[in-house]
Amino acid sequence: MSGRGDGIVNGRGERRRTAWRVHGLSVTGYRHRRDGVPCQDAWRADDTGPVTVLAVSDGAGSRSRSAEGSKIAVKLATDRFGRRVSGRRTEATAVHGLLRAAYREVRDEFLRQTAEAPDDFAATLTVVVLAPTWIGHLSVGDGFVLLRAGVEDGEPQFHLLPTAPEVSEYSNETVFLTSSDAEKWVRTACVRDSGVDGVLLSTDGLAQAALANSHGRPQIPNASFASTMFASLENAGDDPHADTEALAAFLRSDRVTAVNADDKTVLRAVRS
């Protein structure tokens, strides 16, 4: 389904306003469907300015209002990161500071809006800014970003941007916007490569499908999965609703659910 009117892609489909074609989708994981719990993931994209801002968020499953928290997080991210970058001629060396400044604005406003009980709204945040000459990335928590850039032996090459370090020895623990030491765990990256023609953001519900493990940690993109995700956007049919439903069916399939029963979000952008 296609977003219309305001230039914001917010869960209803794709827009083709800038150099990037964007589409996102969140689906409720098996455990939440079984228990009648709504999806706690959210995504949003904004291409109304000179940059495109992409954001995904995963609400903490154990918190009572985390589904609301994830929606607040992505809305604030697309707004504040877009404002920070729009109209500025930013050198790559200044991008990290710019991203952290935008993050602080997001966190401060998130805590203001959830002041009654911020921990109830706990959510992760992964943001990508697609600027004309660079790509910026900031993450809090366990979301991840894949880039498609270059070809070797006729095969597209996929690259995993740096992921957050483990908070503890327990793989199911992560950091949220509401964590007291969240800024300590913020990761930023800046990529200057005109060969990047595809970007994929996801929450950790797709980590096992999208990333191959190395010594117990996801470090290498699963080329088959990434190729499928980008191809389904680039080769979209005439019916956006049907394409979205087909992607949703894939994300809910036994093949994908077998490795992770959590909610799943994928937000993709390819050069038009």
Side-chain angles (χ1 to χ4, degrees), residues 3 58 75 111 167 183 206 245 256:
D58 180 359
K75 187 177 187 304
L111 293 176
V167 178
E183 189 158 358
L206 283 172
E245 288 302 309
V256 176

Side-chain angles (χ1 to χ4, degrees), residues 163-218:
T163 55
E166 292 184 354
V167 178
S168 75
E169 62 183 305
Y170 302 105
S171 60
N172 63 340
E173 291 189 10
T174 190
V175 177
F176 303 105
L177 279 170
T178 52
S179 299
S180 59
D181 60 347
E183 189 158 358
K184 169 185 172 183
W185 301 98
V186 168
R187 292 294 296 266
T188 61
C190 177
V191 177
R192 296 194 66 180
D193 183 349
S194 60
V196 175
D197 62 2
V199 181
L200 182 153
L201 292 74
S202 181
T203 54
D204 73 320
L206 283 172
Q208 287 85 354
L211 305 174
N213 291 323
S214 176
H215 303 295
R217 296 195 61 184

Side-chain angles (χ1 to χ4, degrees), residues 58-159:
D58 180 359
S62 61
R63 311 298 171 82
S64 61
R65 304 184 69 177
S66 62
E68 296 173 69
S70 65
K71 291 180 176 63
I72 294 171
V74 296
K75 187 177 187 304
L76 289 175
T78 53
D79 177 43
R80 300 308 167 93
F81 279 77
R83 286 188 197 178
R84 274 277 172 179
V85 176
S86 296
R88 297 176 182 232
R89 184 177 177 84
T90 306
E91 299 299 328
T93 54
V95 170
H96 296 276
L98 185 73
L99 295 174
R100 283 186 173 270
Y103 158 76
R104 293 186 189 104
E105 290 185 16
V106 169
R107 176 175 158 82
D108 289 348
E109 180 60 18
F110 188 96
L111 293 176
R112 189 191 70 79
Q113 291 189 23
T114 63
E116 56 190 273
D119 286 341
D120 290 347
F121 296 81
T124 67
L125 180 63
T126 302
V127 184
V128 167
V129 178
L130 303 174
T133 59
W134 50 266
I135 294 173
H137 165 233
L138 180 140
S139 65
V140 184
D142 48 15
F144 63 91
V145 176
L146 299 182
L147 302 182
R148 184 180 66 182
V151 176
E152 290 185 12
D153 298 325
E155 297 295 329
Q157 300 299 297
F158 302 103
H159 311 274

Side-chain angles (χ1 to χ4, degrees), residues 28-40 61 66-67 263:
T28 307
Y30 170 76
R31 285 196 301 265
H32 285 168
R33 295 199 308 271
R34 179 195 63 195
D35 299 336
V37 176
C39 181
Q40 294 171 333
S66 62
D263 297 337

Side-chain angles (χ1 to χ4, degrees), residues 238-253:
D238 296 329
D239 184 348
H241 177 74
D243 290 335
T244 297
E245 288 302 309
L247 178 59
F250 172 73
L251 295 179
R252 295 190 189 104
S253 67

